[in-house]
Amino acid sequence: MNAVATVAMNEWRIGRRNRWVLVGGAALAILALLLALLGSTPGGAVKASQTAIVTVSLTTLCVYLVPLLALILAQDAIVGESERGTLILLLTYPLARTSLLLGKFSGHLLLLAAALSIGLAAALAILLANAVPTAGDWLLIGRLWLSAVLLGAVYLAAGYAISGLARDRSAATALAFGLWLVSVVLYDVVLLILLSVDLATDAFPWLLILNPGDAFRLINLSGFEAVEMASGLAAALPDLPLPPHALWLVLAGWLVLCLAIAGRLLQRREA
Amino acid sequence: MIDVKGLVKRYGNKTVLDGIDLSVAEGECLALLGHNGAGKTTFMKIVLGLVRADSGWVDILGGAAGRREARTGIGYLPENIAFHPMLTGRETLETCCRLKGRAAGEAGGLLERVELGEAADRPVSTYSKGMRQRLGLAQALIGEPRLLVLDEPTSGLDPMLRRRFFSIVEEFKGRGVAILLSSHQLTELEARTDRAAILRQGRLVAEGALSDLRRQAALPIRVRLRSESIDSIHDQLGGRRINGQSLELTCAHEDRIGFLRRLTELPVDIDDLEWGMPGLDDLYAHFDEQGGQRP
């Protein structure tokens, strides 16, 4: 077994044993269940499928929850090992620091994907109880899961960068929470304020797609007429400067950039 | 195995290591002594390739420190060893084996060797300090290391475990493994180390075999005598009376044979004689003080 797989297996084992998957999955599942139950009794005159309505709700849930779960998992990865005194030993092994980072990333991504699967499976169970999903419905759910995993991967990598930068664990926690607050909550609020006072109107579509959370939202709320109708997206959004498929590349770009920064910081860190 | 010349390391304006020359040969044990902050751990980190020296020549196992071959050939036991509390001893050691490119199956034998076989499947969080230290030693022994770097290896171990620990280290030394260790337990190192290097504020104030250091330090030998005729001996040789029957004398290292001759020529019976050579702690105190007086 190579070094990346060994580190990944260790992280998976630790995550399972400290009930991270269970707690993360349960948090997602409870909220997803609530949304699915609410979405299964649509009112009003919206002509959208039940799956489309639930997908919109789950997308919003994931935009907030997935980055938070990923940051909680990753912010301790380097600085935590350093403070516990386990990093110094690891770095004396014949193991490249990049392998250590990629191993942690793989293990954590597996944990996050497992938690997401539990959460989405709960919502799916409600949908299946009410109707037989069409091929289009499966595609919506599959796209949501895959893009949520990619969004989680971006925030895991950002969490490692924070963990490689922070001097101690409390600083890493504060930085991680700050990043979540700014990129997930405040960023959209500021964009809306700018838009409402007619500032940065031309740059708005670009500013929107450059935020990983918004890119994820746009991936899941576009392309399907039913979802666009359910989310009101078709009417509310200006033309995007990139086709919806390119939004996946935005997320992949953030992932590569954050992993590169984290790798650089880990290389420079003294044990 | 370790060959270091003119090693300098600075952190900002502070010089942590200042022109250190040291070497450790195959099958040799070098004890690194010094107060906290003397530069011992930094020296070890440079040997391990965790910290880069600012200047100087560093050759570890025939090449640069920190390269893959060097890391494969070194077993390291850090001070205050820590492992993830959620994993069992066996899982921890199996991971260490895989990371060193060895089969996970080696873990079982190593756990038995450090007497952790019965506790192997318990989480590390339930281990005592001594058990964690033994697990630390087990991971340092993975894959037939050529160099062992042991930072305060016996802290937290009871006397029996210390003895067991050193018997394992001795066994590896016998196989040609070079050992670099630091410890504050000077008395226990005395019989187990070939050479000592004393660091003070980043400078090497003394280095050599214990017999050489004794010669250099020229500390007096303490002799304690017990005799029915202690008054007569006191009149002839002087010294300090301990009680009605005992006397403590000192003699210079180079005069020890002459001193013995004078004792045997005394016209009285000596009931008991204790010969106290300056210990490693005496030598350490001497060189440390001498180093402090240098400009």
Side-chain angles (χ1 to χ4, degrees):
Chain A
M1 192 183 287
N2 72 20
V4 174
T6 302
V7 177
M9 195 178 79
N10 232 28
E11 293 299 334
W12 168 256
R13 200 179 260 159
I14 292 166
R16 245 185 37 207
R17 208 157 289 172
N18 67 17
R19 312 267 192 276
W20 191 94
V21 178
L22 211 63
V23 173
L28 272 165
I30 291 167
L31 292 167
L33 268 175
L34 284 173
L35 292 172
L37 284 168
L38 291 173
S40 64
T41 53
V46 178
K47 286 181 183 171
S49 79
Q50 191 194 337
T51 311
I53 291 168
V54 172
T55 303
V56 173
S57 310
L58 289 177
T59 300
T60 308
L61 171 71
C62 288
V63 163
Y64 288 100
L65 218 51
V66 169
L68 192 64
L69 289 173
L71 285 169
I72 290 171
L73 201 56
Q75 49 90 21
D76 193 55
I78 298 167
V79 73
E81 293 252 20
S82 181
E83 268 194 32
R84 276 193 297 274
T86 44
L87 185 66
I88 188 168
L89 190 62
L90 269 177
L91 296 182
T92 62
Y93 276 64
L95 155 84
R97 294 190 185 202
T98 327
S99 304
L100 177 64
L101 182 68
L102 290 177
K104 281 187 171 287
F105 174 69
S106 311
H108 287 160
L109 195 61
L110 215 58
L111 289 168
L112 198 65
L116 264 168
S117 304
I118 295 172
L120 293 188
L124 200 62
I126 298 287
L127 290 176
L128 284 171
N130 287 338
V132 179
T134 63
D137 289 343
W138 283 113
L139 210 60
L140 284 180
I141 297 285
R143 186 177 69 174
L144 178 66
W145 181 84
L146 197 63
S147 56
V149 170
L150 186 56
L151 178 69
V154 170
Y155 277 91
L156 278 178
Y160 300 139
I162 283 172
S163 198
L165 188 70
R167 280 175 175 265
D168 52 53
R169 290 163 93 176
S170 50
T173 309
L175 278 171
F177 181 69
L179 177 70
W180 180 81
L181 196 67
V182 169
S183 69
V184 176
V185 182
L186 297 179
Y187 189 89
D188 286 354
V189 175
V190 172
L191 274 193
L192 282 175
I193 292 170
L194 288 176
L195 202 62
S196 67
V197 292
D198 278 346
L199 275 172
T201 316
D202 294 339
F204 178 76
W206 282 106
L207 290 173
L208 196 63
I209 60 169
L210 282 178
N211 181 305
D214 289 323
F216 164 79
R217 211 192 302 258
L218 290 168
I219 286 172
N220 287 289
L221 301 187
S222 62
F224 284 84
E225 201 183 327
V227 180
E228 287 182 7
M229 196 182 290
S231 64
L233 190 75
L237 270 187
D239 286 339
L240 293 174
L242 292 175
H245 293 103
L247 294 170
W248 291 88
L249 293 176
V250 172
L251 287 181
W254 275 113
L255 172 61
V256 172
L257 179 70
C258 291
L259 272 181
I261 294 170
R264 183 93 186 119
L265 288 168
L266 182 59
Q267 290 290 352
R268 291 173 60 173
R269 195 176 180 102
E270 278 198 0
Chain B
M1 296 282 172
I2 298 179
D3 194 8
V4 167
K5 287 187 181 74
L7 189 68
V8 176
K9 178 67 191 173
R10 292 186 197 89
Y11 286 113
N13 292 330
K14 192 170 186 250
T15 304
V16 185
L17 292 172
D18 190 3
I20 306 291
D21 295 339
L22 268 182
S23 65
V24 187
E26 203 175 301
E28 190 182 37
C29 177
L30 174 75
L32 211 51
L33 312 178
H35 294 306
N36 290 334
K40 305 185 299 282
T41 300
T42 305
F43 181 82
M44 287 185 166
K45 283 184 174 177
I46 290 174
V47 167
L48 294 162
L50 292 172
V51 170
R52 273 209 190 125
D54 291 321
S55 64
W57 164 265
V58 182
D59 184 297
I60 306 299
L61 302 177
R67 72 194 197 287
R68 198 179 172 82
E69 299 80 49
R71 285 196 274 171
T72 308
I74 296 179
Y76 172 51
L77 175 59
E79 188 183 1
N80 302 321
I81 182 97
F83 298 104
H84 203 289
M86 291 276 175
L87 300 176
T88 67
R90 189 185 307 281
E91 288 167 344
T92 303
L93 208 55
E94 282 177 353
T95 303
C96 294
C97 285
R98 288 194 190 101
L99 290 179
K100 276 222 162 169
R102 311 287 293 197
E106 279 186 26
L110 284 166
L111 284 162
E112 292 294 337
R113 179 154 210 187
V114 296
E115 296 168 25
L116 280 177
E118 283 182 19
D121 296 310
R122 271 169 40 195
V124 173
S125 58
T126 64
Y127 281 21
S128 66
K129 169 93 166 62
M131 290 165 89
R132 284 202 303 275
Q133 200 74 1
R134 278 184 281 158
L135 186 59
L137 177 64
Q139 66 76 33
L141 302 179
I142 294 170
E144 301 293 322
R146 293 163 63 203
L147 169 64
L148 283 176
V149 178
L150 312 170
D151 196 358
E152 298 290 342
T154 53
S155 64
L157 296 188
D158 63 42
M160 282 310 288
L161 284 174
R162 283 178 186 195
R163 185 184 281 259
R164 178 87 189 103
F165 177 91
F166 277 111
S167 78
I168 295 174
V169 171
E170 279 292 320
E171 188 192 319
F172 273 75
K173 205 175 113 183
R175 286 193 220 158
V177 175
I179 295 159
L180 173 69
L181 66 85
S182 77
S183 176
H184 289 299
Q185 311 288 334
L186 302 185
T187 326
E188 73 179 14
L189 285 184
E190 208 165 317
R192 289 158 175 126
T193 185
D194 301 302
R195 284 191 302 131
I198 301 173
L199 289 176
R200 190 181 202 283
Q201 293 175 346
R203 283 185 297 132
L204 190 64
V205 292
E207 188 264 319
L210 292 190
S211 54
D212 294 338
L213 291 178
R214 278 197 187 102
R215 216 175 357 259
Q216 277 178 44
L219 293 176
I221 297 166
R222 276 192 301 272
V223 183
R224 192 173 279 199
L225 299 174
R226 193 160 55 80
S227 169
E228 298 284 334
S229 323
I230 205 74
D231 291 333
S232 159
I233 301 174
H234 186 229
D235 290 343
Q236 292 180 63
L237 297 178
R240 187 169 66 93
R241 290 289 296 271
I242 303 289
N243 52 39
Q245 289 194 325
S246 295
L247 181 68
E248 191 174 89
L249 297 153
T250 55
C251 83
H253 189 265
E254 61 273 19
D255 184 38
R256 59 196 189 282
I257 305 298
F259 180 84
L260 261 182
R261 194 179 301 117
R262 287 197 293 282
L263 271 186
T264 51
E265 284 168 357
L266 285 172
V268 291
D269 288 335
I270 294 172
D271 300 327
D272 194 16
L273 183 144
E274 279 177 39
W275 196 255
M277 299 290 282
L280 191 52
D281 42 0
D282 299 314
L283 292 171
Y284 173 64
H286 169 79
F287 285 111
D288 184 63
E289 197 177 313
Q290 204 176 54
Q293 285 162 4
R294 278 186 210 161

